[in-house]
Amino acid sequence: MLAIEIDNLVKEYKNGVKALNGLSFNVNAGEIFSLLGPNGAGKSSLINILTTFYKPASGNVTMFGKDLVDNPSWIRTQIACVAQQISIDEHLSLMENMVFQSKMYKVEPQIAKQRIDSLIDKFDLSSYLKYPTSSYSGGVKRRLDIAMNMVSSPKILFLDEPTVGMDVDSRKSMWDMLLKIRDEYGTTIFLTTHYLEEAEQLSDNICIMKNGKDLAQGTPSSLRSYIRQNILRITFHNTEDIKKYKDSIKSTGLVKFMSVRENSIFISVNDSRTAFTLINKWLLEHDIEFDAIEIVEPSLEDVFLALTSSKKSLKEEWEC
């Protein structure tokens, strides 16, 4: 069953800017769907249309078979949206925030109590009940924000960059929470994020867009087939070794483009098998200390850069 169907969607503003330009894709019910794109791709305009704040200039959007433009009131009863800015009221307690949300959505008190108790338990919030919400960490505030938006039992939960600014542990807790929402509540999650690792870890399906158009759609694994890059990864003990050796590696004549990520150098080459042998031999002959060298498949980040970057900016990204 399809939760969202978007067909040839166009949104043009009065100043002539066309934020969406023939965008089309579908979102399956009960999946985590990620929308990716560079700044200015049209993601915010699309979210505003899907949550009924904006009307499209043309094209069609249906949710669970109902036209969005013709049925905005019904659509709003089926969705919840968690914006980048946390919306909890720090003057209220955790429980008061949850109850207030239930009243906003006109959930019957008895049903609301059952849902609130369940959500507090499911999302490990019970230990925070006795503390003021103003004292919560950013990660806990975000978990509460999402739990509040689940009180209405939405069929679709829109999340706009929910983990921005979080530390590693908080981000992992958020991932677990989103998977639980999908698996235990059957909620469709529509996610925007700039963390490509996050999209790769969480998503059932992904759409990459730019300039208001869809460039590629599919599962994280299927999207890797969009590019055929030969890539080697050389892992070093620390970043200082990378600084020390990367210019020498470039000088081998085998490197097309090079990218540094954490303690590894990623090299784009013409033939990965031939380059693997030659570069491995070169490293050993020049007594360069490294931890590992391997042929790697293109990552979602590689696909994203290849699809959204111009030829010039892609080279700049790879530090040619």
Side-chain angles (χ1 to χ4, degrees), residues 96-216:
E96 288 169 339
N97 270 284
M98 298 283 277
V99 171
F100 180 78
Q101 188 80 358
S102 71
K103 291 181 178 180
M104 287 279 290
Y105 279 90
K106 299 180 181 179
V107 182
E108 293 182 11
Q110 189 59 37
I111 296 175
K113 184 180 185 308
Q114 293 173 356
R115 287 182 185 172
I116 289 169
D117 290 343
S118 174
L119 289 165
I120 288 174
D121 178 62
K122 292 281 187 186
F123 300 149
D124 299 321
L125 292 168
S126 56
S127 60
Y128 299 96
L129 283 166
K130 60 184 177 181
Y131 300 108
T133 53
S134 59
S135 68
Y136 294 174
S137 67
V140 175
K141 287 178 180 178
R142 178 60 78 191
R143 277 161 53 196
L144 172 57
D145 199 4
I146 294 175
M148 286 166 53
N149 280 276
M150 287 296 294
V151 170
S152 62
S153 195
K155 289 184 178 179
I156 304 175
L157 179 64
F158 292 94
L159 298 172
D160 190 6
E161 299 188 37
T163 62
V164 66
M166 285 188 181
D167 58 39
V168 174
D169 290 338
S170 296
R171 184 172 292 127
K172 181 61 169 59
S173 295
M174 181 59 62
W175 291 1
D176 292 341
M177 184 178 184
L178 299 186
L179 292 171
K180 190 175 292 185
I181 290 172
R182 180 196 65 184
D183 296 339
E184 298 189 20
Y185 292 90
T187 305
T188 304
I189 297 177
F190 190 105
L191 173 73
T192 68
T193 179
H194 283 294
Y195 298 117
L196 299 181
E197 179 194 5
E198 180 167 272
E200 194 158 18
Q201 289 289 328
L202 292 176
S203 306
D204 298 296
N205 279 291
I206 293 170
C207 175
I208 299 175
M209 65 180 295
K210 182 183 180 183
N211 296 332
K213 298 180 179 180
D214 48 298
L215 302 178

Side-chain angles (χ1 to χ4, degrees), residues 84-97:
Q84 288 185 38
Q85 187 173 355
I86 294 173
S87 62
I88 68 172
D89 189 332
E90 295 187 1
H91 295 95
L92 302 179
S93 68
L94 184 154
M95 185 62 74
E96 288 169 339
N97 270 284

Side-chain angles (χ1 to χ4, degrees), residues 265-281:
I265 292 177
F266 290 79
I267 299 171
S268 176
V269 295
N270 286 320
D271 185 310
S272 56
R273 294 185 180 277
T274 300
F276 176 87
T277 302
L278 294 175
I279 290 179
N280 191 33
K281 180 182 178 182

